[in-house]
Amino acid sequence: MSDALFPDEPTAEPRVVSTSPSGTEICYALGIEPVAVSHACDFPKQVESVPIIDRSRVTGESSAARHDSVATARRGGGVYELDEQLLEACNPDLILSQSVCGVCAVDETVVRDTLDESAATVLGLSASTLSDVFECVAQVGRETGTEARAIEVVSQCQRRLAEIAASAPDSRPRVVVIEWMEPLHVAANWVPEIVAAAGGEYGLAASGDRSVTVDWAKIREYDPDVLIVAPCSFEPAETRSRLGELTNRPGWESLSAVQKDRVHVMDGTVLNRWTPRLVSLTEELQARLHPPSN
């Protein structure tokens, strides 16, 4: 699914700078290779050769330390710094940013504060639901002259999601998706929709909500049948190295998901982006919720 949605070679030529991984993935899905991207842009592989436009001021090894570092950076001038000289040299027609968060990627405010007399259009993308995700693809299509391709990508995604939902068994395990481990956050936005499509019950957040800060006691009370750990911007290997931030909590061993060996690490770099790859992630999630019987 992912390969079909991301062409190997660019097919469109607008000069686009993308300051967020979500915007970058949408560009490549539409056949556009950006002229510069964020340091956090890591998909598809072609992006490795594209110049990096920003620098993050966030440091820290543990989840709590990173959380504190974000707060400190915000008080001291911002989480990210843009390379103004590179931005000017790129001479972009369009700068893709985001109008939410400002933690996982450069937001629209930072871009506008950095620009001087540039003629570039700034498009701040924002998504809270799957419909919003698809609208982001459509917006980029309209701004870059790739509207036909955008319609095709959205249609493919919607069709595949419907197929996944139709194939889900009637049984619906209780699911919790952890978006951050310290302080503890349960994923929201489009995640409840993805869980529902995969055949699960998601009781601690609603579609369109921002991620929800929860007490550990609340998760123990909900007692998920399946616990998915996918911290924002963390690849699986990094998450596994930090699982002690969850497993050391009181009552961990008594959770149904732990007792049934149904705690799974998934890719937080995908789950928390508005990208066409959310479709293949939904398929992967369904395999976790409803593994084939032996």
Side-chain angles (χ1 to χ4, degrees), residues 265-286:
V265 170
M266 293 184 68
D267 195 336
T269 69
V270 181
L271 188 68
N272 296 287
R273 295 177 187 174
W274 45 84
T275 165
R277 287 199 292 161
L278 287 171
V279 177
S280 56
L281 194 77
T282 305
E283 196 166 33
E284 179 186 344
L285 178 60
Q286 186 176 76

Side-chain angles (χ1 to χ4, degrees), residues 52-257:
I52 292 174
I53 198 74
D54 69 332
R55 181 180 68 84
S56 172
R57 297 188 176 104
V58 176
T59 60
E61 289 300 319
S62 69
S63 298
R66 288 200 185 189
H67 179 79
D68 291 343
S69 179
V70 167
T72 300
R74 280 178 156 171
R75 290 193 299 269
V79 177
Y80 297 98
E81 179 182 1
L82 281 179
D83 186 333
E84 295 183 48
Q85 290 185 330
L86 176 57
L87 185 59
E88 182 178 354
C90 286
N91 190 28
D93 305 309
L94 174 68
I95 302 174
L96 286 182
S97 186
Q98 60 184 40
S99 56
V100 294
C101 189
V103 173
C104 58
V106 177
D107 65 21
E108 186 178 3
T109 301
V110 174
V111 173
R112 294 191 184 279
D113 287 348
T114 303
L115 290 175
D116 188 8
E117 303 257 340
S118 172
T121 298
V122 179
L123 177 59
L125 299 174
S126 174
S128 298
T129 65
L130 284 177
S131 292
D132 294 339
V133 173
F134 299 143
E135 177 56 24
C136 285
V137 176
Q139 282 182 281
V140 178
R142 290 192 292 268
E143 289 289 343
T144 58
T146 59
E147 191 167 9
R149 172 61 183 166
I151 292 171
E152 179 185 352
V153 168
V154 169
S155 295
Q156 287 185 53
C157 289
Q158 291 173 327
R159 182 170 61 252
R160 184 62 193 129
L161 282 171
E163 291 170 352
I164 294 169
S167 68
D170 291 335
S171 61
R172 303 183 76 80
R174 294 185 308 279
V175 180
V176 167
V177 178
I178 301 295
E179 184 183 282
W180 199 250
M181 292 188 282
E182 184 60 46
L184 198 60
H185 283 71
V186 170
N189 293 310
W190 47 81
V191 171
E193 294 175 84
I194 287 175
V195 171
E201 175 187 317
Y202 204 68
L204 295 185
S207 174
D209 287 348
R210 298 292 296 273
S211 64
V212 180
T213 305
V214 295
D215 293 330
W216 177 243
K218 183 103 173 183
I219 291 181
R220 289 185 62 186
E221 179 184 357
Y222 187 65
D223 194 24
D225 300 304
V226 182
L227 181 63
I228 304 295
V229 189
C232 184
S233 302
F234 281 15
E235 294 182 347
E238 186 169 12
T239 298
R240 291 189 184 96
S241 73
R242 299 169 185 273
L243 274 178
E245 296 174 13
L246 284 179
T247 61
N248 290 334
R249 292 175 181 268
W252 169 261
E253 295 294 338
S254 67
L255 290 177
S256 294

